[in-house]
Amino acid sequence: MARPLRIEYPGAVYHVICRGNNRQNIFKDDRDRKRYLDKLISYCDLKEVSLLCYCLLSNHIHLLMETPQGNLSKLMQPFQTSYTMYFNRRHHRSGHVFEQRYKAFVIDRDNYLLQVSRYIHRNAVEARLVHRPQDYFWSSYGAYVNGRRVRGLTTATVLEQMGGKQQDQIRNYRKYVESSAEGMSEDPPPTIKQVVIGDEQFAEEVSKKRRPGIVTCTLSDVEKAICEVTQIDREELAR
């Protein structure tokens, strides 16, 4: 089965999911979590990416990120490599820390940004680590509703979707998150082809925004090109 195509363009917003290799833990203690968050914020600053929400669990991570430059992969690849080097050095191990491919869903910000942020902020509750989202320290929710400062975190992009003045935004967002699916499991936002969070129309619009210079082709296209360059026919190529 082919991997979903990465779609990157200026202004895209993503729900990023990173999992531990073979479902192993990414963090052994809070020192690891702090180092991960520090590195993430530093790389976001370096690559001019906005970190909107996060939730760090033991063996996977949820991130909500906005990329004004359309450069998510240029952030994630060196960032994850840097954390892997730190983790292996500190814990005297070698090999992969993360699954080789993180998931990155492009979000229809007008219709699903709030829902995705709620899903991320309720993840620790769904994992039964805490009873309330505000009780989990390693998520960005405290910065949204309790005034806890997190360097490099941007909350305005999500809160502005609630409308009104800042205090009204915070109060309404808290109600939105904490009353969400009370007594029920929180379903993840709907996805299309493991690439887009939105409807078919949004998916079609996103496919047209693919970064210039990225060309897709089929196996048949590759065969044809090889035959033209090498001056052989397809039967000979197959042999």
Side-chain angles (χ1 to χ4, degrees):
M1 184 175 180
R3 288 177 169 183
L5 182 67
R6 290 273 190 241
I7 296 179
E8 298 187 357
Y9 59 88
V13 180
Y14 298 90
H15 179 196
V16 177
I17 304 173
C18 310
R19 299 189 183 278
N21 192 42
N22 295 324
R23 303 196 177 189
Q24 296 174 350
N25 285 350
I26 300 168
F27 313 110
K28 289 186 178 291
D29 54 28
D30 285 349
R31 179 178 168 184
D32 287 343
R33 293 181 180 87
K34 184 177 186 305
R35 180 59 66 91
Y36 179 93
L37 195 56
D38 287 345
K39 283 181 176 290
L40 174 62
I41 290 168
S42 294
Y43 273 90
C44 283
D45 183 56
L46 178 65
K47 301 297 183 180
E48 299 181 343
V49 170
S50 297
L51 177 62
L52 308 183
C53 299
Y54 63 86
C55 186
L56 313 185
L57 301 177
S58 295
N59 65 357
H60 70 285
I61 298 148
H62 291 270
L63 307 172
L64 184 61
M65 310 173 86
E66 182 177 17
T67 58
Q69 307 300 324
N71 57 346
L72 181 68
S73 60
K74 290 184 178 180
L75 179 150
M76 293 301 296
Q77 291 168 1
F79 160 59
Q80 288 194 305
T81 298
S82 178
Y83 180 78
T84 295
M85 293 173 63
Y86 151 80
F87 187 85
N88 286 346
R89 183 171 58 247
R90 183 188 174 208
H91 298 293
H92 309 289
R93 64 184 298 279
S94 61
H96 296 294
V97 173
F98 300 98
E99 283 185 345
Q100 291 189 5
R101 188 171 172 85
Y102 60 88
K103 294 182 179 180
F105 302 93
V106 186
I107 301 169
D108 178 354
R109 64 191 301 158
D110 293 333
N111 296 304
Y112 287 98
L113 184 64
L114 279 173
Q115 184 179 346
V116 174
S117 75
R118 180 180 67 189
Y119 177 76
I120 291 173
H121 283 149
R122 290 186 60 83
N123 224 254
V125 176
E126 299 303 316
R128 299 183 179 181
L129 300 176
V130 292
H131 292 295
R132 306 181 305 168
Q134 61 265 44
D135 294 335
Y136 191 65
F137 183 79
W138 295 106
S139 94
S140 52
Y141 188 62
Y144 273 76
V145 299
N146 294 335
R148 178 167 64 86
R149 288 188 58 81
V150 176
R151 178 180 65 88
L153 180 72
T154 300
T155 62
T157 303
V158 172
L159 290 176
E160 285 172 357
Q161 296 221 347
M162 303 305 299
K165 297 180 179 179
Q166 186 179 34
Q167 289 304 313
D168 294 330
Q169 293 172 359
I170 294 172
R171 182 176 63 253
N172 292 335
Y173 185 71
R174 182 167 193 164
K175 183 178 179 181
Y176 174 70
V177 172
E178 294 178 25
S179 64
S180 166
E182 217 165 83
M184 301 169 58
S185 294
E186 177 78 357
D187 292 329
T191 62
I192 296 177
K193 297 181 180 179
Q194 294 296 301
V195 174
V196 167
I197 296 177
D199 59 20
E200 293 287 351
Q201 181 179 347
F202 177 72
E204 180 65 24
E205 292 171 358
V206 164
S207 69
K208 295 175 182 177
K209 292 181 179 179
R210 209 167 285 158
R211 198 170 53 191
I214 295 179
V215 179
T216 61
C217 57
T218 66
L219 180 58
S220 179
D221 295 329
V222 175
E223 290 175 344
K224 182 179 178 182
I226 293 173
C227 291
E228 289 176 355
V229 170
T230 59
Q231 300 288 302
I232 62 175
D233 59 33
R234 292 198 177 194
E235 287 185 8
E236 187 176 353
L237 176 64
R239 287 196 299 273

